[in-house]
Short mmCIF file of all heavy atoms in Angstrom, two decimals:
data_model
loop_
_atom_site.label_atom_id
_atom_site.label_comp_id
_atom_site.label_asym_id
_atom_site.label_seq_id
_atom_site.Cartn_x
_atom_site.Cartn_y
_atom_site.Cartn_z
N LEU D 152 14.59 -26.23 53.46
CA LEU D 152 15.74 -27.12 53.31
C LEU D 152 15.56 -27.94 52.03
O LEU D 152 14.50 -28.54 51.81
CB LEU D 152 15.85 -28.05 54.53
CG LEU D 152 16.96 -29.09 54.52
CD1 LEU D 152 18.35 -28.44 54.42
CD2 LEU D 152 16.89 -29.96 55.78
N ASP D 153 16.60 -27.95 51.21
CA ASP D 153 16.59 -28.70 49.96
C ASP D 153 16.25 -30.18 50.23
O ASP D 153 16.74 -30.77 51.19
CB ASP D 153 17.99 -28.59 49.37
CG ASP D 153 18.00 -28.77 47.89
OD1 ASP D 153 17.92 -29.93 47.46
OD2 ASP D 153 18.07 -27.75 47.19
N LEU D 154 15.43 -30.75 49.34
CA LEU D 154 15.03 -32.16 49.50
C LEU D 154 16.26 -33.07 49.59
O LEU D 154 16.32 -33.99 50.40
CB LEU D 154 14.14 -32.57 48.32
CG LEU D 154 13.42 -33.91 48.43
CD1 LEU D 154 12.39 -33.92 49.54
CD2 LEU D 154 12.74 -34.25 47.11
N ASP D 155 17.26 -32.79 48.77
CA ASP D 155 18.47 -33.62 48.75
C ASP D 155 19.27 -33.53 50.03
O ASP D 155 20.15 -34.36 50.30
CB ASP D 155 19.40 -33.17 47.60
CG ASP D 155 18.93 -33.72 46.28
OD1 ASP D 155 17.97 -34.51 46.29
OD2 ASP D 155 19.52 -33.35 45.25
N CYS D 156 19.02 -32.49 50.81
CA CYS D 156 19.77 -32.32 52.06
C CYS D 156 18.93 -32.73 53.26
O CYS D 156 19.28 -32.43 54.41
CB CYS D 156 20.22 -30.87 52.20
SG CYS D 156 21.47 -30.41 50.98
N GLY D 157 17.78 -33.36 53.00
CA GLY D 157 16.97 -33.85 54.10
C GLY D 157 15.65 -33.13 54.28
O GLY D 157 14.90 -33.43 55.20
N GLY D 158 15.34 -32.16 53.38
CA GLY D 158 14.06 -31.45 53.50
C GLY D 158 12.88 -32.33 53.12
O GLY D 158 13.06 -33.48 52.70
N HIS D 159 11.68 -31.78 53.26
CA HIS D 159 10.47 -32.53 52.91
C HIS D 159 9.90 -31.98 51.62
O HIS D 159 10.09 -30.81 51.28
CB HIS D 159 9.43 -32.40 54.04
CG HIS D 159 8.24 -33.28 53.85
ND1 HIS D 159 7.02 -32.80 53.44
CD2 HIS D 159 8.09 -34.63 53.99
CE1 HIS D 159 6.17 -33.82 53.35
NE2 HIS D 159 6.79 -34.93 53.67
N LEU D 160 9.15 -32.83 50.91
CA LEU D 160 8.52 -32.42 49.65
C LEU D 160 7.77 -31.10 49.80
O LEU D 160 7.83 -30.23 48.92
CB LEU D 160 7.51 -33.50 49.22
CG LEU D 160 8.08 -34.77 48.59
CD1 LEU D 160 7.00 -35.84 48.52
CD2 LEU D 160 8.62 -34.47 47.20
N THR D 161 7.04 -30.94 50.89
CA THR D 161 6.19 -29.75 51.06
C THR D 161 6.96 -28.52 51.51
O THR D 161 6.36 -27.50 51.85
CB THR D 161 5.06 -30.02 52.07
OG1 THR D 161 5.66 -30.45 53.30
CG2 THR D 161 4.10 -31.08 51.56
N HIS D 162 8.28 -28.61 51.56
CA HIS D 162 9.09 -27.45 51.95
C HIS D 162 9.62 -26.73 50.71
O HIS D 162 10.62 -26.03 50.79
CB HIS D 162 10.24 -27.87 52.87
CG HIS D 162 9.79 -28.48 54.16
ND1 HIS D 162 10.67 -28.93 55.14
CD2 HIS D 162 8.56 -28.73 54.66
CE1 HIS D 162 9.99 -29.43 56.16
NE2 HIS D 162 8.71 -29.31 55.89
N GLY D 163 8.98 -26.98 49.55
CA GLY D 163 9.36 -26.23 48.35
C GLY D 163 9.96 -27.09 47.25
O GLY D 163 10.53 -26.56 46.30
N SER D 164 9.80 -28.41 47.34
CA SER D 164 10.34 -29.26 46.27
C SER D 164 9.57 -29.03 44.97
O SER D 164 8.34 -28.91 44.99
CB SER D 164 10.22 -30.73 46.69
OG SER D 164 10.29 -31.55 45.55
N PRO D 165 10.27 -29.04 43.83
CA PRO D 165 9.57 -28.87 42.56
C PRO D 165 8.58 -30.00 42.28
O PRO D 165 7.67 -29.85 41.47
CB PRO D 165 10.69 -28.89 41.51
CG PRO D 165 11.97 -28.97 42.24
CD PRO D 165 11.72 -29.17 43.69
N ALA D 166 8.73 -31.13 42.97
CA ALA D 166 7.78 -32.23 42.77
C ALA D 166 6.46 -31.97 43.49
O ALA D 166 5.50 -32.73 43.32
CB ALA D 166 8.39 -33.53 43.28
N SER D 167 6.40 -30.91 44.30
CA SER D 167 5.21 -30.62 45.12
C SER D 167 4.62 -29.29 44.68
O SER D 167 5.30 -28.44 44.12
CB SER D 167 5.65 -30.56 46.59
OG SER D 167 4.95 -29.59 47.32
#
Side-chain angles (χ1 to χ4, degrees):
L152 178 60
D153 205 281
L154 190 66
D155 280 355
C156 292
H159 188 255
L160 283 167
T161 56
H162 298 180
S164 160
S167 144

